[in-house]
Amino acid sequence: MSYKESLKSFFIRFKRVIIASGLCVLAMAIIGVVAYKSTNQVTINKNEMVQTSAPTSVSFIMPIKDGEIIKDFSNTALKYNSTLKQWEAHKAVDIKGADNSDVMAVLSGEVVSVESNYLKGTVVTIKHNKSLQTVYASLDENVKVKVGDKVKTGDVIGKVSTSAKSESNDGAHLHFEVLVDNVKTDPNLYLNLGDK
Ligand SMILES: [Zn+2]
């Protein structure tokens, strides 16, 4: 092989190496784009999942006619509890109405529990579907429903009271919770509270 020929063959090999590396870079770029797109896809799907389980298709009536929110929901921010004299998260909304206000089922469902305890007073829980439940605490002990009752939106289940000893300083009111898969969730997502 002459000097010229070997130089030529060197350049041919050199060219192949360049082309090969170029292809590698291109392939990696394509893989990168595909991977990025599929990650985005997952995010989009996640959002869709969140949206489908979000409460857009369900909306409640107010459990108390002309009810006024006296303490709003807080997941982590601390709110002062003047009865227990402590700061705490309040995973519910407290709603006050006129004296002896009726408390209504916010949506049709089945009563799954009626119980009493010192801190929350008389508590009725209604199951609306597989994952959604509403909890009505601080009710007067004379509740109008029992376990197994089917209720319709607006059916009266009891009256407000000060039975929840953990919130009795706030006067007669309803301590209203929303459970989504047993997790206390912001009732504002379901209630149309207007300018509360
Ligand atoms: Zn409360």
Side-chain angles (χ1 to χ4, degrees), residues 36-136:
Y36 176 76
K37 276 204 164 169
S38 63
T39 329
N40 264 7
Q41 201 73 43
V42 171
T43 318
I44 288 163
N45 287 343
K46 263 189 195 158
N47 284 344
E48 278 170 5
M49 275 169 61
V50 169
Q51 271 162 12
T52 36
S53 63
T56 43
S57 58
V58 175
S59 94
F60 296 160
I61 62 158
M62 277 293 276
I64 294 177
K65 196 169 170 282
D66 301 325
E68 180 201 343
I69 307 297
I70 54 168
K71 191 186 274 184
D72 210 345
F73 178 90
S74 79
N75 206 12
T76 48
L78 301 179
K79 298 208 171 232
Y80 189 65
N81 182 320
S82 65
T83 312
L84 301 178
K85 298 191 173 24
Q86 65 183 21
W87 291 86
E88 59 190 17
H90 186 249
K91 298 187 181 186
V93 286
D94 288 348
I95 307 170
K96 200 167 191 161
D99 288 350
N100 275 324
S101 285
D102 283 333
V103 174
M104 298 172 286
V106 295
L107 191 69
S108 60
E110 182 183 342
V111 176
V112 289
S113 93
V114 178
E115 52 192 24
S116 272
N117 69 59
Y118 185 77
L119 290 175
K120 291 176 109 179
T122 303
V123 185
V124 169
T125 303
I126 298 175
K127 187 171 185 170
H128 305 286
N129 60 41
K130 230 173 94 191
S131 61
L132 183 64
Q133 299 184 77
T134 49
V135 180
Y136 308 76

Side-chain angles (χ1 to χ4, degrees), residues 146-164:
K146 55 184 192 311
V147 172
D149 281 0
K150 301 268 196 294
V151 292
K152 290 199 185 68
T153 308
D155 281 357
V156 173
I157 56 176
K159 285 183 181 296
V160 292
S161 81
T162 53
S163 68

